[in-house]
């Protein structure tokens, strides 16, 4: 025996195939754009950045920044890149917390790292290596995680508050 329904009850209807087709077309277009971005745009940008850090305006800027004491925040932000310019930059960027620590020589002498000069072809070859897709510096992954996380939080609170 069927129970009587109220006039306002929701009754699901079968999904229209044209709506499903449209959704698949949108997902396909997004996938094509994502694949193009990951396999074409990102590697080209990495190569351009590597060459620019090696022999370009960015290299000139980093050398200028290394010698400029007035730009402490920028020096902190680019500290990893500045350390790669030459080994003494790491010494120059250290924090001077205590004057007495500077005068005490280290107990174990440090051995300087051997740095070799990469050719431009090696720089380009290394820059073309694709980073891990599922890493935290992939903006697609970070954006998706933030969107899903915030949607989950808002969905949870809307359920809790509606009761």
């Amino acid at each position: 025996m069927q129970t009587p329904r109220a006039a306002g009850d929701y009754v699901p209807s079968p999904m229209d195939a044209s709506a499903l087709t449209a959704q698949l077309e949108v997902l396909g277009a997004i996938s094509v754009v994502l694949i193009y971005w990951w396999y074409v745009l990102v590697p080209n940008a990495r190569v351009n950045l590597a060459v620019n850090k090696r022999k370009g305006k960015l290299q000139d800027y980093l050398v200028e920044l290394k010698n400029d004491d007035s730009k402490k925040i920028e020096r902190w932000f680019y500290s990893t890149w500045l350390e790669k310019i030459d080994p003494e930059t790491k010494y120059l960027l250290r924090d001077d917390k205590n004057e007495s620590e500077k005068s005490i020589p280290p107990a174990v002498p440090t051995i300087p790292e051997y740095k070799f000069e990469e050719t431009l072809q090696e720089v380009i070859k290394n820059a073309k290596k694709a980073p891990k897709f599922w890493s935290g510096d992939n903006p697609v992954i970070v954006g998706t995680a933030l969107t899903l996380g915030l949607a989950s939080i808002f969905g949870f609170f809307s359920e809790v508050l509606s009761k």
Side-chain angles (χ1 to χ4, degrees):
M1 176 176 180
Q2 265 188 337
T3 58
R5 285 186 286 183
D9 284 351
Y10 172 74
V11 177
S13 60
M15 186 169 187
D16 185 20
S18 64
L20 182 60
T21 304
Q23 290 175 354
L24 290 175
E25 288 172 356
V26 168
L27 286 175
I30 291 171
S31 298
V32 167
V33 169
L34 177 65
I35 289 169
Y36 179 79
W37 172 79
W38 185 252
Y39 288 106
V40 176
L41 294 180
V42 168
N44 287 340
R46 288 173 52 85
V47 168
N48 289 340
L49 179 63
V51 170
N52 199 7
K53 281 195 305 187
R54 180 88 175 136
K55 297 180 175 183
K57 290 182 181 180
L58 186 56
Q59 170 70 20
D60 298 338
Y61 173 73
L62 290 173
V63 169
E64 174 188 324
L65 184 62
K66 181 183 93 165
N67 299 321
D68 190 358
D69 290 335
S70 65
K71 299 179 180 180
K72 292 186 185 280
I73 293 175
E74 289 177 63
R75 287 177 67 178
W76 169 79
F77 186 76
Y78 291 111
S79 62
T80 304
W81 290 0
L82 289 170
E83 288 174 9
K84 292 179 181 177
I85 291 176
D86 61 15
E88 80 175 26
T89 305
K90 189 171 186 175
Y91 176 77
L92 293 174
L93 292 175
R94 76 190 187 294
D95 290 331
D96 290 333
K97 294 180 181 169
N98 193 348
E99 287 294 320
S100 63
E101 291 177 4
K102 281 198 317 187
S103 62
I104 301 171
V108 178
T110 59
I111 301 170
E113 294 179 20
Y114 176 75
K115 296 193 100 182
F116 63 93
E117 195 71 23
E118 286 183 312
T119 65
L120 191 57
Q121 287 78 19
E122 290 172 339
V123 169
I124 292 172
K125 183 180 122 193
N126 290 337
K128 283 186 178 180
K129 292 179 186 172
K132 294 180 182 168
F133 184 81
W134 298 104
S135 69
D137 32 333
N138 184 343
V140 172
I141 300 299
V142 172
T144 303
L146 284 173
T147 302
L148 292 176
L150 289 174
S152 300
I153 290 170
F154 286 129
F156 173 76
F157 281 120
S158 68
E159 282 292 320
V160 170
L161 295 176
S162 67
K163 290 183 180 181

